[in-house]
């Protein structure tokens, strides 16, 4: 009872001011705000993809051979890969499928996999990290090793290996979330474990223990709120890295399969067209680049806002 | 120190054994019928039974795992009556699609991957360290801001995107280089280097950005230390202070850290080789994965995993030796 009172008072006097401060710092960070705007537009576009594609009047799977120049090996007719009023970003060489529609489909996959993977990573990482930090000596020794193992394993290589043995009928986006998540939770677990080890000796945790709170209750009610700030920062940094993992696996041909489209997969088919049809390369390439940059800048801004002394990607003014 | 070394060594061995077991489970125990996967598409019942026997898949699981381990340490034979395929130690498996031990497949591809990675490493250390020093010496000025912006961009760009953009610029637009084709170093060193220029920079770009950041921070930190101020007070010239004294303090930990990059290099090489069609190990694992040639994927995963575990251990030790402030625990 006493312990609850202490934490509740602590939260109610501190949290709002701190929250406002963080928000103010984040709003003043121009790069982070630029990232937020770009990321926001991308997410809205991905969510509204069916509507936007309907507005354009195309769909991602219809072939348009009439738009291709068969004399030049199936390159789209017209400048910029056939971009114009009918096909906003042009069409794909050899098939004539609409690039705008396929790129939006790629955006959906990118976000779906990145966020889905993040959920897997946080669930696994937080539970292993909490268990290692609070479960006693034996549990920590074992789980600590497990965390080391998860961090030092070459995740993309194992992901390729796993993707090779799973039958093709299993839905690919879900498989990607599981595979990337399964090999990518080590960082979260290490972060949580470290935080827990430093938090569990605090007075308010001792007070909670003395007043009879069980281990699970302490973990969820007393410790977890204390680790939320570094967790948010870390999660924000994981998002762009998950996007790169998905695009990379799809680029290597073991990720998202047709008829679904992914930026990585589009890039891998575009490799041979970089001279004949540069638009085909630039559309997925620049979208991926822009998206990853936006999320990285936003994550870096969140980190500096939450902890102004933390080392920033952009170097700070020393 | 000895106790630390022993413990570190023991945990590395355990880690390697766990990895071997994990790879065995993933590739040989989990698939419902490994013979189908090994044989590839379009294999009949008789062929499957023969492969089962040849691979020893008709034996109990624990015995199979034992043979797998045995193969790694002393080699093994795959035999079905008269048809014997010998696989010498360290036997990482046998590719029935290529009719070759996995190790010899790896041996054929290794020079390509080594050419790519060592060259890229030279590029990123040179570019990264010099950009970082430049940025630190001009901290807060325009040069610093340009370098910083460029490094954020380079760091964020996925390898296959930056590689593609380099390809479009130098090969498609400026026509300075042709599309890379691998030429062995022993055949024609000039052509080897010229063809690998684009792949080297592609693999190096993101990593150079990381080293720019590390060098910049390290340099600024070292320059603000007391012994540097003492040098300045004694009238040692700035060029000498930066070039000799500050460089040493900055670079030692950074160069040591590069041993940790091994995992990144492997994955990066995989993407770079696929992008440029270079016949290296990365391309081998991707192709084998698409052809469901599981023994090759398993063998390569094992080699890659083992290399990373060993490299990380080496990096830990090296770092502890170089920087005595690191607590050995």
């Amino acid at each position: 009872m006493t312990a609850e009172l202490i934490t509740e008072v602590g939260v109610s006097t501190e949290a709002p001011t701190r929250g406002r401060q963080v928000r103010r710092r984040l709003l003043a960070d121009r790069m982070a705000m630029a990232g937020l705007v770009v990321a926001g537009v991308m997410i809205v576009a991905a969510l509204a993809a069916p509507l936007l594609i309907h507005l354009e009047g195309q769909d991602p799977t219809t072939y348009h051979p009439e738009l291709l120049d068969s004399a030049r090996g199936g390159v789209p007719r017209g400048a910029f890969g056939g971009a114009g009023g009918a096909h906003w970003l042009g069409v794909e060489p050899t098939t004539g499928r609409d690039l705008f529609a396929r790129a939006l489909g790629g955006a959906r996959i990118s976000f779906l996999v990145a966020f889905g993977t993040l959920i897997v990573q946080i669930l696994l990482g937080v539970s292993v990290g909490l268990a290692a930090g609070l479960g006693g000596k034996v549990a920590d020794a074992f789980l600590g090793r497990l965390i080391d193992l998860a961090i030092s394993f070459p995740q993309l290589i194992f992901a390729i290996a796993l993707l090779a043995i799973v039958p093709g009928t299993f839905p690919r986006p879900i498989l990607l979330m599981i595979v990337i998540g399964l090999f990518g939770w080590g960082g979260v677990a290490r972060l949580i474990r470290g935080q827990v080890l430093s938090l569990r000796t605090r007075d308010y945790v001792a007070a909670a223990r003395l007043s009879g709170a069980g281990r699970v209750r302490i973990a969820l009610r007393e410790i977890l709120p204390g680790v939320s700030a570094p967790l948010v920062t870390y999660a924000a940094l994981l998002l762009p890295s998950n996007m790169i993992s998905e695009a990379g696996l799809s680029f290597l041909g073991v990720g998202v399969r047709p008829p679904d489209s992914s930026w990585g997969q589009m890039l891998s088919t575009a490799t041979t067209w970089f001279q004949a049809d540069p638009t085909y390369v630039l559309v997925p390439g620049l979208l991926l680049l822009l998206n990853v940059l936006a999320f990285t800048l936003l994550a870096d801004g969140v980190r500096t806002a939450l902890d102004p002394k933390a080392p920033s990607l952009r170097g700070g003014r020393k | 120190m000895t106790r630390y070394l022993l413990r570190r060594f023991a945990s590395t061995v355990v880690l390697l054994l766990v990895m071997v077991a994990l790879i065995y489970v993933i590739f040989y125990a989990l698939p419902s019928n490994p013979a189908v996967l090994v044989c590839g598409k379009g294999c009949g019942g008789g062929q499957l039974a023969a492969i089962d026997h040849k691979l020893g898949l008709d034996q109990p699981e624990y015995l199979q795992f034992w043979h797998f381990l045995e193969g790694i340490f002393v080699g093994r034979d795959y035999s079905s009556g008269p048809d014997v395929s010998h696989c010498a130690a360290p036997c990482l498996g046998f590719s029935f699609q290529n009719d070759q031990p996995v190790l010899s497949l790896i041996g054929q591809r290794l020079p390509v991957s080594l050419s790519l990675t060592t060259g890229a490493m030279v590029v990123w250390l040179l570019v990264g360290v010099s950009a970082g020093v430049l940025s630190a010496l001009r901290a807060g000025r325009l040069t610093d801001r340009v370098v910083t912006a460029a490094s954020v961009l380079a760091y964020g760009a996925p390898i296959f995107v930056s590689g593609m953009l380099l390809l479009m610029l130098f090969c498609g637009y400026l026509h300075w280089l042709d599309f890379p084709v691998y030429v062995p170093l022993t055949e024609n060193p000039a052509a080897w280097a010229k063809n690998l220029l684009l792949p080297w920079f592609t693999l190096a770009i993101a990593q150079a950005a990381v080293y720019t950041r590390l060098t910049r921070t390290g340099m600024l930190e070292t320059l603000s230390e007391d012994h540097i101020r003492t040098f300045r007070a004694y009238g040692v010239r700035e060029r000498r202070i930066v070039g000799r004294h500050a460089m040493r303090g900055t670079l030692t930990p950074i160069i040591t850290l590069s041993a940790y990059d091994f995992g990144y290099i492997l994955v990066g090489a995989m993407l770079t080789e696929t992008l440029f069609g270079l016949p290296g190990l990365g391309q081998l694992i991707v192709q084998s994965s698409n052809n469901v040639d599981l023994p090759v994927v398993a063998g390569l995963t094992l080699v890659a995993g083992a290399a990373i575990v060993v490299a990380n251990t080496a990096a830990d030790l090296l770092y502890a030796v170089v920087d005595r402030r690191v607590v050995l625990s």
Side-chain angles (χ1 to χ4, degrees):
Chain A
M1 203 54 218
T2 337
E4 247 172 39
L5 202 68
I6 293 170
T7 41
E8 231 104 272
V9 169
V11 166
S12 61
T13 53
E14 239 180 75
T17 12
R18 195 172 134 74
R20 209 175 301 146
Q21 227 174 22
V22 169
R23 213 172 308 135
R24 205 176 44 226
R25 274 194 226 117
L26 193 59
L27 284 173
D29 188 338
R30 279 196 310 225
M31 293 308 271
M33 282 302 106
L36 182 67
V37 170
V38 173
V41 168
M42 291 271 201
I43 291 180
V44 169
L47 287 175
L51 196 73
L52 289 171
I53 295 170
H54 183 73
L55 209 65
E56 191 204 16
Q58 302 294 339
D59 72 273
T61 46
T62 307
Y63 284 40
H64 294 281
E66 73 280 2
L67 297 172
L68 304 173
D69 188 348
S70 54
R72 292 196 300 135
V75 174
R77 292 172 202 275
F80 301 110
H87 297 274
W88 295 350
L89 292 177
V91 294
E92 211 175 39
T94 66
T95 62
R97 289 182 295 193
D98 183 66
L99 267 189
F100 178 74
R102 293 196 68 74
L104 275 185
R108 283 175 87 97
I109 291 283
S110 186
F111 289 124
L112 182 72
V113 174
F115 282 98
T117 307
L118 187 64
I119 293 173
V120 176
Q121 286 162 330
I122 287 183
L123 283 181
L124 276 173
V126 168
S127 26
V128 174
L130 280 178
L134 295 168
K137 226 173 167 180
V138 180
D140 190 31
F142 175 71
L143 292 174
R145 285 284 85 144
L146 192 69
I147 294 172
D148 283 350
L149 197 77
I151 290 173
S152 61
F153 264 41
Q155 55 155 313
L156 209 59
I157 294 174
F158 265 86
I160 290 184
L162 264 189
L163 289 166
I165 63 164
V166 175
T169 46
F170 197 89
R172 281 280 153 170
I174 294 176
L175 182 62
L176 281 169
M177 291 175 204
I178 297 173
V179 167
I180 305 174
L182 209 56
F183 293 106
W185 55 269
V188 179
R190 181 164 62 179
L191 175 84
I192 298 289
R193 177 179 169 270
Q195 293 282 324
V196 170
L197 288 182
S198 82
L199 281 183
R200 71 172 183 191
T201 52
R202 297 282 174 85
D203 288 343
Y204 75 91
V205 178
R209 192 172 298 131
L210 283 177
S211 63
R215 275 186 177 169
V216 175
R217 192 191 160 83
I218 289 180
L220 297 181
R221 293 289 297 271
E222 314 293 338
I223 303 267
L224 206 53
V227 302
S228 59
L231 184 61
V232 166
T233 309
Y234 197 83
L237 284 167
L238 275 176
L239 271 180
S241 125
N242 289 344
M243 284 171 185
I244 295 181
S245 295
E246 179 273 315
L249 287 169
S250 299
F251 176 78
L252 291 175
V254 292
V256 177
R257 299 225 165 126
D260 282 343
S261 59
S262 141
W263 292 335
Q265 175 213 62
M266 289 169 82
L267 269 172
S268 83
T269 42
T271 316
T272 46
W273 294 94
F274 74 98
Q275 264 170 319
D277 186 7
T279 316
Y280 186 32
V281 180
L282 288 176
V283 167
L286 292 184
L287 276 173
L288 180 60
L289 187 60
L290 199 64
N291 212 15
V292 167
L293 269 181
F295 274 91
T296 308
L297 286 174
L298 181 58
D300 197 48
V302 169
R303 167 163 60 186
T304 349
L306 281 170
D307 181 6
K309 276 171 280 172
S312 157
L313 193 66
R314 289 161 289 159
R317 290 145 211 93
K318 218 176 167 163
Chain B
M1 187 73 185
T2 322
R3 248 194 84 200
Y4 170 75
L5 281 179
L6 280 177
R7 238 181 36 209
R8 201 71 187 71
F9 184 71
S11 76
T12 306
V13 170
V14 170
L15 198 61
L16 287 175
L17 282 177
V18 170
M19 206 170 62
V20 173
L22 196 68
I23 286 172
Y24 177 80
V25 169
I26 291 179
F27 289 100
Y28 294 97
L30 275 187
S32 51
N33 192 351
V36 176
L37 294 173
V38 164
C39 188
K41 293 144 195 164
C43 269
Q47 269 172 304
L48 288 183
I51 287 178
D52 266 344
H53 183 65
K54 188 168 178 177
L55 286 178
L57 293 172
D58 41 5
Q59 294 168 342
E61 293 275 339
Y62 68 93
L63 216 60
Q64 289 186 39
F65 181 55
W66 173 249
H67 286 313
F68 182 69
L69 278 179
E70 201 180 41
I72 293 176
F73 292 106
V74 292
R76 64 190 286 197
D77 286 323
Y78 294 102
S79 71
S80 53
D83 175 20
V84 179
S85 323
H86 180 67
C87 178
C91 176
L92 299 171
F94 195 89
S95 164
F96 291 87
Q97 288 187 20
N98 291 295
D99 202 25
Q100 269 183 39
V102 172
L103 195 67
S104 58
L105 279 174
I106 293 179
Q108 293 155 14
R109 306 286 194 124
L110 194 61
V112 183
S113 297
L114 279 182
S115 305
L116 171 65
T117 48
T118 40
M121 202 159 179
V122 171
V123 170
W124 87 54
L125 284 177
L126 280 181
V127 173
V129 168
S130 37
V133 169
L134 187 72
S135 187
L137 294 182
R138 310 245 157 217
R141 290 194 236 168
L142 184 67
T143 323
D144 181 32
R145 270 184 283 167
V146 170
V147 170
T148 302
S151 73
V152 170
L153 193 70
Y155 174 76
I159 280 191
F160 43 96
V161 175
S162 44
M164 196 76 110
L165 293 177
L166 285 180
L167 193 64
M168 287 180 79
L169 181 64
F170 290 105
C171 181
Y173 184 70
L174 294 171
H175 296 289
W176 288 358
L177 295 163
D178 294 325
F179 192 89
V181 183
Y182 179 72
V183 180
L185 174 65
T186 45
E187 224 167 74
N188 184 346
W192 171 80
K194 194 180 174 214
N195 276 295
L196 280 171
L197 265 181
L198 273 178
W200 281 340
F201 274 87
T202 301
L203 182 52
I205 262 186
Q207 206 58 7
V210 174
Y211 278 79
T212 306
R213 312 297 328 140
L214 284 175
T215 311
R216 181 184 181 275
T217 323
M219 195 64 162
L220 286 175
E221 233 161 61
T222 318
L223 280 178
S224 67
E225 270 172 24
D226 287 344
H227 72 279
I228 298 288
R229 202 172 45 191
T230 314
F231 281 131
R232 285 213 176 106
Y234 271 99
V236 178
R237 267 177 307 162
E238 193 64 23
R239 173 185 282 271
R240 196 179 158 84
I241 289 181
V242 172
R244 284 197 57 167
H245 304 291
M247 270 308 230
R248 187 185 299 163
T250 312
L251 286 190
T252 331
I254 289 180
I255 302 288
T256 320
L257 273 178
S258 60
Y260 286 110
D261 294 333
F262 203 78
Y264 168 82
I265 302 174
L266 282 181
V267 171
M270 212 154 68
L271 292 163
T272 313
E273 284 169 13
T274 305
L275 174 61
F276 292 108
L278 300 173
L281 292 176
Q283 200 198 42
L284 180 64
I285 194 172
V286 174
Q287 280 175 353
S288 312
S289 164
N290 284 330
N291 296 337
V292 209
D293 191 353
L294 284 193
V296 181
V297 183
L300 274 170
T301 313
L302 190 61
V303 170
I308 288 176
V309 170
V310 171
N312 281 352
T313 308
D316 282 352
L317 296 180
L318 210 60
Y319 199 54
V321 171
V322 167
D323 193 341
R324 299 314 298 240
R325 286 168 299 183
V326 174
V327 186
L328 301 180
S329 66

